[in-house]
Amino acid sequence: MRVQQRDDTGHPPALSPAADRPPGPPAEAATASPSPAARLKAVPDAALGVLGIVLFAGVLELLPRSGAVPAKYLPPFSEMVGALGDELGSSVFWTALLDTVEGWAYGLAIAFVAGTVLGLVIGGVEVLRKATASTIEFLRPIPSVALIPLAVLVLGTGLGSTLLLVVYASFWPVLLQVLSGVRDVDPVARDTAVGYGFSPWARLRYVVWPTTLPYLMTGLRLAASVALILAVSSQLIIGSPGLGSEIARAQSSNAIPRMYALVLVAGALGVCVNVLARLLERRVLSWHTSVRTEAGA
């Protein structure tokens, strides 16, 4: 039995915090090792993206070779890459790729300008906003592919039909985002500008535009992906020149590896479009809080 010593006053001496702590390893040894989640966060995003592509390619290679999927329906990834190498040396492939990019770019540009202008005009006039709300909600959900018979009947199977479908599909993300941006303008700032005698153009430039621009860039990023989807889909269904028509031709001629190679090209094109849209968004909105916070993180 341990007898506790007392000081001159008759009370037991105060114990230090170290005296109450059970014996254990030194502080350096007790430090916990980084968790798997922390280690994963330390890996660059680009490296994770490359790893994901490698794993996806490995799955595409193993599925047909293991017999899980018939090779005549899904050839190994190596055969797709071989077919893609043959396509890179063909002028037909590059012409189809340029036709797809042309339809995407022209359609997106038209939709961007029309959606921005109409969004600013409709959003800035309350009467117009209320009068067009029901019409927008009626037209917006209509699938663009439902307009294919009309496009072919009026414009034929050329670039015009592709442009009609691309513009219709990519117009709505831009318009709706601009309307949301104009609606989000601080009413105090708007009234202050009116009180100081700002002209309509000055109010648009210094009050409405800075608030609407982040919404507009989001609409552009969404519309860019939608425009590419409709460009390839319209070519696939209508037969207008481009990657879509080449995919349909490869499928009808039973050139399955070539078909999948063209599908991979369409997917890579979509990735490039999304990356470019994000880079443009960060460049244009470099002054915005969200972009600066993302860059700091």
Side-chain angles (χ1 to χ4, degrees), residues 36-52:
R39 294 176 181 176
L40 187 60
K41 290 182 179 179
V43 179
D45 293 340
L48 292 176
V50 173
L51 178 61

Side-chain angles (χ1 to χ4, degrees), residues 6-233:
R6 297 176 177 269
D7 57 10
D8 296 338
T9 61
H11 298 285
L15 298 178
S16 63
D20 294 332
R21 188 182 304 124
E28 293 79 2
T31 303
S33 60
S35 62
R39 294 176 181 176
L40 187 60
K41 290 182 179 179
V43 179
D45 293 340
L48 292 176
V50 173
L51 178 61
I53 294 176
V54 172
L55 292 176
F56 179 68
V59 171
L60 290 180
E61 184 72 22
L62 291 176
L63 283 178
R65 295 194 181 278
S66 63
V69 178
K72 64 178 181 180
Y73 300 131
L74 180 66
F77 182 75
S78 57
E79 294 186 13
M80 300 179 194
V81 174
L84 178 59
D86 296 337
E87 289 296 315
L88 295 179
S90 171
S91 60
V92 175
F93 165 77
W94 293 107
T95 301
L97 180 61
L98 291 177
D99 288 337
T100 299
V101 173
E102 182 182 19
W104 167 80
Y106 287 162
L108 179 62
I110 296 172
F112 177 76
V113 174
T116 302
V117 174
L118 289 178
L120 292 174
V121 173
I122 295 175
V125 181
E126 185 177 0
V127 175
L128 287 178
R129 186 169 63 249
K130 293 180 178 179
T132 58
S134 57
T135 304
I136 292 174
E137 291 302 321
F138 172 76
L139 294 176
R140 181 174 60 89
I142 298 178
S144 298
V145 292
L147 302 177
I148 288 180
L150 175 63
V152 174
L153 181 63
V154 176
L155 301 173
T157 59
L159 179 61
S161 298
T162 300
L163 287 179
L164 175 62
L165 299 176
V166 171
V167 170
Y168 184 83
S170 55
F171 167 78
W172 300 111
V174 178
L175 176 66
L176 295 177
Q177 288 294 325
V178 173
L179 290 176
S180 298
V182 174
R183 193 183 306 115
D184 196 43
V185 174
D186 187 358
V188 176
R190 182 188 288 112
D191 295 341
T192 302
V194 173
Y196 276 96
F198 279 29
S199 64
W201 171 253
R203 293 198 299 269
L204 174 63
R205 179 179 180 183
Y206 296 109
V207 180
V208 177
W209 185 250
T211 303
T212 307
L213 187 56
Y215 290 87
L216 176 60
M217 297 309 299
T218 300
L220 175 62
R221 176 162 49 84
L222 297 175
S225 300
V226 172
L228 181 61
I229 293 173
L230 264 298
V232 177
S233 300

